[in-house]
Amino acid sequence: MDVVREISESLIEKTQLPDFKTGDTITVHYKIKEGNKERIQQFQGVVLQRRGSGITETFTIRKMSGSFGVERVIPVCSPFIDRIEINKTGSVRRARIFYLRERSGKSARIKEKRTFTKK
Amino acid sequence: MPGLIGKKLGMTSIYSAEGKNLPCTLIECGPCVVTQVKTVEKDGYSAVQLGYGERKEKNTPNALKGHFKKAGTSPKSKLIEFADFEDLNLGDEVNAELFQEGEFVDVVGTSKGKGFQGVVKRHNFRGVGDATHGQHNRLRAPGSIGAASYPARVFKGMKMAGQMGNERVKVQNLQVLKVLTDKNVLVVKGSIPGPKGSYVILEK
């Protein structure tokens, strides 16, 4: 394996996150520090992209706050992530769905991916 | 000052205790071998010559082969002198343990070569800014380089087009974030000059 990757992975403990993809709707529970108190806040939205690899990987998540779109870029290895919930698995054709930014209302919906479990 | 010869491995990022994402560079440093000890009595000044990086025997000149044989090491590709080392003998090894976490180091390297570049890229000139109003091939031109009959010459050091990069660059006061003694790797905050795999000098 690449030396840089090997060393950087030994320096950071990777948190176990569920396997989410572009187009999924997820809720990120992240820790927020106020003074010396810590509390947990949620951010629910659609994953626009996953970018980079290894410990420097990030994902962009977008939600509509009223009529404004709000985006956050979060490193996958961020120590501030408490946990991530997958609310919906979306079915999209591309890895980066920036076209969602220009859309609103009905056209901004993402088809849900049906998963069948074998009996 | 004491120092080491190292090799740039590449960049990554780590998190500080407060959870801040810090960009950092990994430098493999050593183990460097002492190939010569210079003393005031013999050489007129005191210094220690360190060697680092493997080199093929067949590509080593005979004179250097003898030099390495004296120190009892295999041929090294990079030899650099450092002052102010204490009690080091011929053939001793120096490694990453020379540095402590939290300490500040200077890193010397050779920057990536950019070739012959114009003033816009090389000196951050702004160019003309207009593509129209009489400009036809002057978009990235430097403009005036001085007055006319007095001084009747161009001053030395005028910023002009030329070779950019591929020069010795020193970056000062980079914080050592981690010392990985088992792998002989130093994690330094920020970036350092040069491509991956290039030799750098670390100064304390």
Side-chain angles (χ1 to χ4, degrees):
Chain A
M1 198 163 53
D2 178 20
V3 199
V4 176
R5 196 163 181 160
E6 191 184 335
I7 292 172
S8 44
E9 269 170 21
S10 71
L11 290 175
I12 293 182
E13 34 185 309
K14 214 168 180 183
T15 40
Q16 283 301 313
L17 297 180
D19 184 32
F20 59 89
K21 289 195 183 93
T22 304
D24 294 356
T25 306
I26 60 170
T27 312
V28 181
H29 298 255
Y30 62 97
K31 297 169 204 156
I32 215 168
K33 253 186 192 157
E34 284 171 338
N36 43 15
K37 267 205 320 206
E38 210 178 59
R39 60 189 185 83
I40 285 171
Q41 218 171 54
Q42 286 109 315
F43 192 96
Q44 188 184 45
V46 182
V47 180
L48 289 193
Q49 66 167 345
R50 287 185 75 147
R51 189 165 197 274
S53 64
I55 58 148
T56 51
E57 186 182 352
T58 61
F59 60 92
T60 308
I61 175 170
R62 178 183 173 89
K63 76 165 180 182
M64 294 304 288
S65 172
S67 58
F68 292 97
V70 179
E71 281 180 24
R72 280 194 72 143
V73 182
I74 304 172
V76 167
C77 292
S78 172
F80 291 117
I81 297 179
D82 184 51
R83 65 194 167 89
I84 286 178
E85 257 174 59
I86 301 178
N87 307 107
K88 241 199 247 172
T89 48
S91 153
V92 285
R93 289 188 177 192
R94 47 203 79 228
R96 297 181 180 181
I97 49 168
F98 298 134
Y99 65 80
L100 214 64
R101 289 174 179 158
E102 278 96 56
R103 299 207 183 163
S104 63
K106 224 173 181 179
S107 63
R109 288 174 307 173
I110 289 174
K111 222 189 217 170
E112 194 168 350
K113 201 178 194 173
R114 299 275 181 86
T115 44
F116 299 98
T117 44
K118 271 184 191 167
K119 274 176 194 170
Chain B
M1 56 191 76
L4 275 181
I5 313 167
K7 198 167 93 182
K8 177 170 170 179
L9 292 179
M11 290 191 72
T12 180
S13 68
I14 62 171
Y15 292 95
S16 69
E18 303 91 60
K20 234 181 166 185
N21 194 346
L22 306 171
C24 56
T25 311
L26 304 178
I27 306 169
E28 186 183 73
C29 36
C32 298
V33 185
V34 177
T35 47
Q36 194 181 2
V37 181
K38 297 200 169 180
T39 54
V40 183
E41 298 87 60
K42 211 176 160 195
D43 307 280
Y45 65 102
S46 74
V48 162
Q49 187 190 61
L50 297 182
Y52 173 63
E54 287 313 308
R55 174 177 188 161
K56 278 182 185 164
E57 190 97 16
K58 71 170 171 110
N59 294 335
T60 314
N62 277 329
L64 271 179
K65 265 184 205 160
H67 185 70
F68 292 120
K69 206 177 167 189
K70 227 190 225 174
T73 66
S74 55
K76 304 286 175 205
S77 58
K78 203 88 182 159
L79 295 174
I80 285 162
E81 264 180 32
F82 294 93
D84 305 330
F85 260 118
E86 280 160 21
D87 4 290
L88 276 182
N89 298 315
L90 211 59
D92 282 1
E93 274 194 355
V94 194
N95 53 29
E97 284 168 43
L98 184 71
F99 300 102
Q100 277 116 43
E101 274 170 35
E103 198 178 12
F104 290 89
V105 293
D106 297 347
V107 179
V108 183
T110 308
S111 61
K112 279 184 186 172
K114 306 275 192 289
F116 192 100
Q117 292 296 332
V119 288
V120 173
K121 188 181 176 80
R122 191 172 179 224
H123 298 298
N124 298 323
F125 283 18
R126 285 187 206 149
V128 171
D130 256 334
T132 160
H133 290 300
Q135 313 300 337
H136 112 94
N137 58 1
R138 315 282 309 144
L139 280 176
R140 297 169 73 89
S144 166
I145 54 168
S149 40
Y150 184 79
R153 63 189 174 93
V154 175
F155 289 122
K156 269 189 176 174
M158 182 63 60
K159 288 176 179 173
M160 290 192 181
Q163 165 70 31
M164 183 183 176
N166 194 18
E167 57 178 354
R168 183 188 159 102
V169 176
K170 183 189 254 185
V171 184
Q172 290 180 313
N173 286 328
L174 295 175
Q175 196 177 12
V176 177
L177 296 175
K178 285 231 155 68
V179 181
L180 310 169
T181 43
D182 53 329
K183 289 198 175 78
N184 246 320
V185 166
L186 218 61
V187 184
V188 153
K189 189 177 163 188
S191 58
I192 65 170
K196 286 177 212 164
S198 63
Y199 288 113
V200 292
I201 305 167
L202 297 134
E203 288 172 356
K204 221 170 177 172

